[in-house]
Amino acid sequence: MDVPNQHLKCLLERTDIAFKALLQEPDSVERNLAYEDAKKELDVFVSNLRSSLAQRKVG
């Protein structure tokens, strides 16, 4: 697996773990922050990947 895919796999796993933890303690501020941070990092990665792919398609 190449590096971007490995990084994506790690981000997905981190987000999934944070979400499952949040489900167990939905009122936890720490769990909410951990999930939001993981989700934000995943969103940024996906956005950057889409931008990179779009640039390749144009160029």
Side-chain angles (χ1 to χ4, degrees):
M1 184 177 282
D2 62 1
V3 174
N5 287 339
Q6 184 63 36
H7 187 59
L8 176 59
K9 182 180 174 183
C10 290
L11 291 172
L12 288 168
E13 185 175 328
R14 179 177 169 226
T15 304
D16 188 49
I17 290 169
F19 181 71
K20 287 177 181 175
L22 179 59
L23 286 177
Q24 291 178 357
E25 294 182 62
D27 294 331
S28 169
V29 173
E30 292 83 13
R31 304 271 173 146
N32 273 287
L33 289 174
Y35 174 65
E36 289 300 322
D37 287 346
K39 191 171 68 165
K40 180 190 274 185
E41 191 173 348
L42 178 60
D43 288 345
V44 167
F45 179 84
V46 170
S47 177
N48 289 340
L49 186 59
R50 283 182 181 156
S51 176
S52 176
L53 292 172
Q55 288 176 356
R56 286 184 191 173
K57 189 175 182 180
V58 170

